[in-house]
Amino acid sequence: MFSKDNDLSSNRAVDRQRAVDYLKREIEFTAEVGGSYLLVVPGAVGRPNAYDQSEWVRSIETLLLVADMFTQYHVRAAIEPIRSAEVSLVHTVKDAKRYIAAVNHPGVAHINGDVYHMQSEESHIGGAILEAGEALANLHLADSNRCALGDGFMDYDTIIMALYLIQYYNPGHFVTPEPLGPGGDPYPAMNNIPDPDALDELVKKSVDYFRLREKTLLEQAE
C-alpha cells in the first residue's frame, strides 16, 4: 500500500524514507510467510498530479536502495501500473517495462497487472497481457464495475485466452480476484471493519465465474 506518506517518488525525503522502511518490513514479512512476490507502486496512489519532472528519477533511486533485499530474500518485486486518475506515473504495461529497465536490477523484474486499471489505460487488455509475458507475476481481477467477476461486461474469455498464450498456468504465477465494489478504494477499506460474509460471496462468485469461463474455453478448444 503506497500512499503519499510512503511515496517512492515524493519530493519529501521523509516520505521516501518511509517507503524504504515499509518495503524492508514487507520484504521480510513476505519471505517469512512464504510469499514469492511483493507489489510495488512507483508513485503514491491517490495523487494523480505530478510533484515535478523528477518523480521518475526519485522513484527509481529510492527503490534501488532496497533492491538487493528482493534478491536476498528471494522475493520478486512486481511493479503495478495504475490508471492515471489515481497515480502520476506508470500507467501501462509498457510504462512498467520501461521502469523496470531503468531500475536495471534482477530483484525488480516483474509486473503486477490489474484489469480494472487496464481497461482505462490499455488499448487492448489481452494485448497488454501478451506484452507483459513472463514478467507478469500476478493479475488482479475484477469486473468492469470493480464488482465480482460476471457482474459487469469485462471480456474474461479474451483475458483467459491471453493468459494461456503466455503459459500462465505454470507455477509461480497468480490471478487474484479483487472485487472492491463500484468505485471501491482499498486504501480507506483497509482500516474498516470487514464483512466476512460479503467478502466470501464476492470471492466465491469471482472464482466460480472464472472457472466456468476457463472450462468453457477449454472444451471449445478440444
Side-chain angles (χ1 to χ4, degrees):
M1 308 294 283
F2 293 85
S3 67
K4 288 184 286 187
D5 294 329
N6 62 332
D7 182 351
L8 287 166
S9 67
S10 178
N11 59 359
R12 285 166 44 89
V14 65
D15 295 334
R16 296 197 304 277
Q17 183 61 54
R18 289 195 191 104
V20 168
D21 294 341
Y22 173 71
L23 280 168
K24 287 179 177 179
R25 295 194 304 271
E26 292 303 308
I27 292 168
E28 291 177 348
F29 173 78
T30 302
E32 180 68 23
V33 299
S36 63
Y37 74 93
L38 180 64
L39 186 156
V40 177
V41 182
V45 179
R47 182 183 59 76
N49 298 319
Y51 286 122
D52 50 42
Q53 298 298 314
S54 300
E55 284 190 326
W56 180 270
V57 173
R58 284 196 301 265
S59 180
I60 291 167
E61 289 179 346
T62 308
L63 185 55
L64 279 169
L65 295 175
V66 295
D68 285 345
M69 285 190 66
F70 284 105
T71 53
Q72 176 188 348
Y73 284 88
H74 306 289
V75 173
R76 295 171 291 169
I79 307 301
E80 181 175 18
I82 293 178
R83 61 183 185 144
S84 54
E86 297 185 43
V87 299
S88 61
L89 71 164
V90 184
H91 306 129
T92 64
V93 165
K94 184 177 181 180
D95 291 343
K97 292 178 74 173
R98 188 163 67 92
Y99 182 87
I100 289 167
V103 174
N104 191 27
H105 190 283
V108 184
H110 291 84
I111 295 171
N112 183 99
D114 188 315
V115 298
Y116 179 76
H117 298 298
M118 285 173 156
Q119 71 176 337
S120 298
E121 300 294 335
E122 306 286 0
S123 59
H124 192 286
I125 295 177
I129 292 171
L130 295 180
E131 184 175 7
E134 293 182 357
L136 190 65
N138 181 53
L139 184 66
H140 283 166
L141 305 179
D143 218 309
S144 55
N145 51 8
R146 222 170 195 178
C147 289
L149 275 58
D151 282 349
F153 56 82
M154 188 75 73
D155 182 3
Y156 268 97
D157 285 12
T158 294
I159 291 169
I160 292 169
M161 286 188 288
L163 290 171
Y164 267 76
L165 284 173
I166 64 171
Q167 299 184 331
Y168 202 69
Y169 43 78
N170 288 324
H173 302 279
F174 305 91
V175 290
T176 53
E178 194 181 57
L180 302 171
D185 183 346
Y187 281 74
M190 70 178 175
N191 295 313
N192 291 339
I193 298 174
D195 182 343
D197 292 337
L199 293 175
D200 284 348
E201 179 61 25
L202 285 169
V203 172
K204 182 181 185 303
K205 191 170 187 178
S206 295
V207 172
D208 288 347
Y209 183 80
F210 187 93
R211 286 176 173 167
L212 172 64
R213 297 314 313 155
E214 183 181 29
K215 180 174 182 291
T216 300
L217 288 168
L218 290 171
E219 289 174 349
Q220 291 174 350
E222 291 178 352

